[in-house]
Amino acid sequence: MNKETAFQAWAEGFGIPAYAENAVPEDEEEPYLTYYRPTALFGDGEPAATLSLWYRTTSEAKPNAKAREIGKALAPGGKQVVCDEGVMWLKRGTPFSQAMDAGDNAVKRIYINVSVEFITNY
């Protein structure tokens, strides 16, 4: 898998649909996850990826539980995601998660920071 496909597969591993932030189907219903995935090469530092959890609920319980699940998957030493080009090492960013205004009181959004170290050839 290339970097893009490998990251997508990792994001889909949390039991809710996952989409690039600009590719959510118009008819999609919450809950789902959106992401921004950077690309870089070995030695380019650790660019930030971001995830957003979207839940239609009046309670913070389910989105907070999903954020904890993702946090546990990245702790304590991160998660290495293998791709054709090498490995992407995903780690908890700082701050790891925070509630964001979704523009609708019935929708809860949690914004998650993930640092990505690319140990890749290209």
Side-chain angles (χ1 to χ4, degrees):
M1 282 187 269
N2 61 31
K3 294 175 198 174
E4 297 80 9
T5 304
F7 191 92
Q8 173 74 34
W10 173 78
E12 290 175 341
F14 295 104
I16 59 176
Y19 304 100
E21 65 184 8
N22 60 353
V24 178
E26 288 186 29
D27 60 346
E28 184 62 67
E29 295 183 15
E30 295 87 359
Y32 59 86
L33 175 156
T34 58
Y35 64 84
Y36 164 76
R37 176 206 33 81
T39 56
L41 300 173
F42 181 72
D44 285 347
E46 296 185 15
T50 57
L51 309 177
S52 287
L53 300 173
W54 301 87
Y55 278 78
R56 182 162 295 280
T57 181
T58 56
S59 169
E60 299 283 340
K62 287 183 180 182
N64 284 338
K66 187 60 69 177
R68 281 192 301 275
E69 177 186 343
I70 294 169
K72 286 179 184 178
L74 295 172
K79 170 74 175 167
Q80 293 185 2
V81 176
V82 176
C83 59
D84 292 339
E85 299 90 352
V87 173
M88 294 180 293
W89 187 4
L90 309 180
K91 305 170 200 170
R92 293 170 62 112
T94 303
F96 174 65
S97 69
Q98 53 193 328
M100 299 290 288
D101 183 359
D104 179 342
N105 289 337
V107 175
K108 303 299 181 225
R109 177 183 177 202
I110 304 264
Y111 186 82
I112 296 174
N113 290 300
V114 177
S115 67
V116 184
E117 183 174 353
F118 290 89
I119 307 169
T120 58
N121 296 327
Y122 53 89

